[in-house]
Amino acid sequence: MAPRHIVTAVIFGVAIGLGMQYVLGGNPWIHMGIAVVGALAGTWFAVRNRA
């Protein structure tokens, strides 16, 4: 993965995590951690399986 993919995934992960915290409540760090890991996994999968 290129650094631009990692940076974009982290930014989207933080944004999604904050949205999850706003909707669901709870600890924002846990939501952001889960979302960042998911965004990185999705980015890795998309970059690896590019058509």
Side-chain angles (χ1 to χ4, degrees):
M1 278 192 309
R4 67 177 182 240
H5 296 127
I6 296 170
V7 170
T8 304
V10 169
I11 290 170
F12 276 113
V14 169
I16 292 168
L18 289 174
M20 287 168 52
Q21 192 273 331
Y22 177 75
V23 171
L24 301 172
N27 190 342
W29 293 106
I30 293 173
H31 289 296
M32 284 189 289
I34 291 169
V36 167
V37 170
L40 287 172
T43 302
W44 175 81
F45 184 79
V47 168
R48 182 176 167 127
N49 295 320
R50 192 174 275 180

